[in-house]
Amino acid sequence: MIDVFVLDDHEIVRQGLIHLIDSQDDMRVVGEARTAAEAVTRASRLDLDVAVLDVRLPDGSGVEVCRHLRSQRPELACLMLTSFADDEALLAAVTAGAAGYVIKDVRGLELLQAIRTVATGASLVSPEASRRVVQRMNRVRHHDTRLELLSAQERAILELIGQGLTNRQIATRMYLAEKTVKNYVSSLLAKIEVHSRTQAALFIADQHARHDQRA
C-alpha cells in the first residue's frame, strides 16, 4: 500500500485528488493540507511514501515543503504539481530533490501511474528536461573559480540577478519564499566576494562576456 500526502490550496482540486487516490486498491491518502505551513507540520508526523505537492501556495511553495520534508526523510518521494511548465519551476523542483514534476492538466490515470512510479524510487524527470536543467546549472561555470563555490540554486539566482530581477521576482520565478531568496543572495555575494547586487550583476555579465569571446 502506497501512503500518500496531498497538498493543494484549492479545496475542489485537493478533494478530487484524494478521491482519485483513495479509489485505488494499492494506495491511500493518509494526510492532507492546504498551506505550506500545514503541510510541514502534518506531513512531518506521518510515515509517507509519496507527497503530492502543489507548487504555488498562498503562504509559500511546494518546493520549499519538498526540501523541508526530504531533509528529514531523504527517502520520501515528492511529486510536484504545477499549472504550467517552465525551466525555473523544473530547476527548483529538481534541486529540492523532487522525484517527479507533473502538469495539473494530466489525466487521472497518468497521475496515478506517476505516483506509482515515484513510489518505487524512480524519477519522472525526462532525459530532455534533465538536460535543460544541467545546462542551466552549468551556464555560469566559466572562468572564475569562485563560481564553483555556488550551489545550483545560488547559480540560478545569480543569473536572475544579472537579468535585473528583484528578490520578489526571483522568488516567484524560482518558487521560493522571498526570505529564502534573500538568504541565498547574501550567501552568493559572500562567495563571489562582492558587496552589492549591482556588483553581482556586473560580475556575471563579465563572465558571460568572457565566455562569448572564447566561443
Side-chain angles (χ1 to χ4, degrees):
M1 183 66 70
I2 302 171
D3 289 334
V4 182
F5 187 90
V6 175
L7 167 61
D8 198 294
D9 61 316
H10 293 96
E11 180 76 15
I12 294 177
V13 174
R14 188 172 70 257
Q15 292 306 318
L17 290 170
I18 292 172
H19 177 74
L20 176 67
I21 294 167
D22 279 342
S23 70
Q24 303 300 297
D25 294 333
D26 62 338
M27 62 182 72
R28 63 187 176 185
V29 174
V30 295
E32 62 174 288
R34 66 179 183 84
T35 67
E38 286 180 355
V40 167
T41 300
R42 296 176 184 178
S44 298
R45 300 170 180 168
L46 299 170
D47 185 15
L48 302 171
D49 298 305
V50 177
V52 179
L53 308 174
D54 188 11
V55 170
R56 289 184 178 274
L57 299 165
D59 65 333
S61 164
V63 172
E64 287 291 286
V65 175
C66 172
R67 184 176 290 108
H68 177 85
L69 295 179
R70 282 183 49 79
S71 70
Q72 298 178 327
R73 291 188 56 207
E75 73 278 10
L76 176 64
C78 292
L79 182 62
M80 311 307 299
L81 286 178
T82 186
S83 299
F84 56 92
D86 62 69
D87 286 352
E88 281 78 16
L90 180 60
L91 175 61
V94 171
T95 56
Y101 179 90
V102 178
I103 308 301
K104 277 189 175 181
D105 62 4
V106 67
R107 296 172 58 186
L109 291 178
E110 293 173 339
L111 177 60
L112 293 171
Q113 187 54 49
I115 292 173
R116 293 184 179 101
T117 297
V118 299
T120 67
S123 172
L124 268 180
V125 180
S126 69
E128 172 61 21
S130 297
R131 184 185 64 79
R132 295 204 312 272
V133 169
V134 171
Q135 286 179 339
R136 289 289 302 274
M137 291 167 62
N138 288 338
R139 280 180 62 188
V140 298
R141 287 181 176 176
H142 302 293
H143 309 296
D144 199 308
T145 56
R146 287 175 290 178
L147 293 173
E148 300 297 331
L149 301 175
L150 302 183
S151 68
Q153 288 281 51
E154 288 168 342
R155 288 194 297 271
I157 289 172
L158 179 58
E159 284 282 349
L160 296 178
I161 289 175
Q163 296 174 26
L165 272 65
T166 65
N167 283 357
R168 178 168 297 181
Q169 291 169 326
I170 293 172
T172 299
R173 292 276 289 273
M174 295 293 296
Y175 299 92
L176 298 170
E178 189 172 351
K179 182 178 180 180
T180 300
V181 173
K182 183 177 180 180
N183 292 337
Y184 275 128
V185 171
S186 296
S187 174
L188 73 87
L189 291 182
K191 288 179 179 179
I192 64 174
E193 301 174 357
V194 300
H195 303 290
S196 70
R197 296 172 68 91
T198 300
Q199 289 178 329
L202 292 173
F203 175 84
I204 192 60
D206 179 61
Q207 299 306 308
H208 286 314
R210 294 184 184 186
H211 177 256
D212 291 343
Q213 288 175 357
R214 292 184 60 183

